[in-house]
Amino acid sequence: MTTQSLPVRTDAPVRTPEPTTGRGGRRRLLRMRAGRQHHAGPLAYVLLAVMAILSIFPLYWTMVAASTDNTRVSQTPPPFLPGPNLFSNLARAWDEAAMGKAMVNSLIVAGVIALSTVLFATLAGFAFAKLRFKGRNILLMLVIGTMMVPPQLGVVPLFMMMSELGWSQQLPAVIFPTLVSAVGVFFMRQYLSEALPDELVEAGRVDGAHSLRIFWSIVLPVARPAMAVLFMITFVHAWNDFFWPFVVLDMTNPTVPVALTQLSAGYVRDQSLIMAGALLGTLPLLAMFIVFGRQIVSGIMAGAVKG
């Protein structure tokens, strides 16, 4: 019995593996790895549970302290279960600190600062990342250099400037000095340098679009994930800012952190009342993250797989 070997085709195309070196090769390798499913082990779930508990505990303790009286909070060991006085303490903190007006002021201040920072930082980031002009690197280094200057050094001249403009004790004195931040400019510049291909900008130039048209039609859709993250970070920072609003505002027109100082006045501090005010000041941030958190996280993930 004889065996007959099958003919071997020599004209068949040979498929060579794609290179995994260089920028393009690394991108293809990341895409292949992104398509795989990764399963976490038990240790990963344990670590995530521990981190979640550590992250939630300060908020839980604030709620526990806000729901008891001052005597119970000062006892040893302290309480670890909520008490019956939560809503009464919240009502007292709302009235004594004028939290209604303070929350409206904080919403105006944080909203305007976050929107302006996102807009101006995206414009400046696009200019530093993709436009070519004289002195670009020097200007970028100056912007980064301002991050190294402590903001406390500019309080006195800034307060004098606000007084000369007639904005003392008014919200514009808090808003205008922080309409844009160097951190936001640097963050958007780094993101657009990687996420925005030069070919898209050149294609817009070929089609006759000017820089503002390219920014509106090409840059904004690409930068949307980073803009969402920057908006969230800036809003939280502006909402929690205490030092400069405390200097330039008074108790007749406060933001939330400034209003909370009213609760600590007196010879004996009511810790439960202070915690109730802190809980009231935190609830709007929690509500915003619950409503927009999924969009922000999905935007981050969409920006992470660009390339």
Side-chain angles (χ1 to χ4, degrees):
M1 183 176 180
T2 60
T3 58
Q4 185 178 0
S5 60
L6 296 176
V8 179
R9 293 183 57 184
T10 58
D11 56 345
V14 179
R15 185 180 182 87
T16 59
E18 295 182 350
T20 56
T21 58
R23 186 174 181 179
R26 286 195 298 269
R27 288 179 178 176
R28 283 189 290 270
L29 184 60
L30 289 176
R31 290 194 188 99
M32 289 188 295
R33 291 180 177 177
R36 304 173 184 172
Q37 285 189 343
H38 299 276
H39 300 280
L43 181 59
Y45 287 106
V46 171
L47 291 177
L48 289 175
V50 171
M51 295 302 298
I53 293 173
L54 292 177
S55 300
I56 296 174
F57 182 76
L59 181 62
Y60 175 76
W61 167 247
T62 302
M63 184 185 68
V64 170
S67 62
T68 58
D69 53 24
N70 196 33
T71 304
R72 183 72 180 92
V73 173
S74 304
Q75 290 179 354
T76 302
F80 289 99
L81 294 177
N85 302 329
L86 177 61
F87 294 103
S88 61
N89 288 338
L90 291 177
R92 286 178 55 203
W94 183 275
D95 294 334
E96 294 186 17
M99 290 297 291
K101 185 175 183 179
M103 283 192 177
V104 173
N105 289 343
S106 288
L107 183 62
I108 295 173
V109 169
V112 173
I113 291 176
L115 289 174
S116 64
T117 299
V118 169
L119 176 61
F120 294 139
T122 307
L123 280 167
F126 167 61
F128 284 126
K130 297 299 175 181
L131 300 184
R132 301 293 182 265
F133 54 90
K134 291 183 178 180
R136 183 185 66 167
N137 295 331
I138 297 177
L139 289 176
L140 180 60
M141 293 303 297
L142 290 176
V143 171
I144 297 175
T146 59
M147 298 166 55
M148 306 176 186
V149 180
Q152 291 80 5
L153 295 180
V155 168
V156 174
L158 190 59
F159 182 82
M160 295 173 61
M161 185 185 302
M162 295 298 107
S163 299
E164 291 293 330
L165 293 174
W167 289 348
S168 181
Q169 315 302 332
Q170 298 181 17
L171 295 184
V174 181
I175 295 174
F176 277 86
T178 52
L179 285 177
V180 67
S181 64
V183 176
V185 173
F186 181 73
F187 174 74
M188 294 304 303
R189 187 260 178 189
Q190 294 299 109
Y191 180 85
L192 291 175
S193 296
E194 297 293 333
L196 181 62
D198 294 335
E199 292 78 6
L200 287 179
V201 180
E202 296 299 329
R205 296 290 187 192
V206 171
D207 292 339
H210 50 80
S211 297
L212 289 180
R213 179 64 178 177
I214 293 174
F215 175 79
W216 181 261
S217 300
I218 299 176
V219 177
L220 285 184
V222 174
R224 190 176 294 117
M227 292 170 65
V229 176
L230 182 60
F231 179 88
M232 186 70 179
I233 295 174
T234 307
F235 187 93
V236 173
H237 181 269
W239 183 278
N240 294 327
D241 189 19
F242 170 75
F243 181 70
W244 175 241
F246 182 75
V247 171
V248 79
L249 298 178
D250 58 8
M251 290 302 173
T252 62
N253 195 29
T255 58
V256 169
V258 177
L260 291 179
T261 60
Q262 187 70 17
L263 300 177
S264 61
Y267 292 103
V268 179
R269 294 183 178 181
D270 193 339
Q271 297 295 335
S272 60
L273 188 63
I274 295 174
M275 290 298 181
L279 185 61
L280 284 174
T282 307
L283 289 179
L285 297 179
L286 292 177
M288 186 184 69
F289 187 79
I290 291 173
V291 174
F292 300 105
R294 180 172 297 179
Q295 288 79 3
I296 293 174
V297 173
S298 62
I300 296 173
M301 298 304 298
V305 299
K306 282 185 178 294

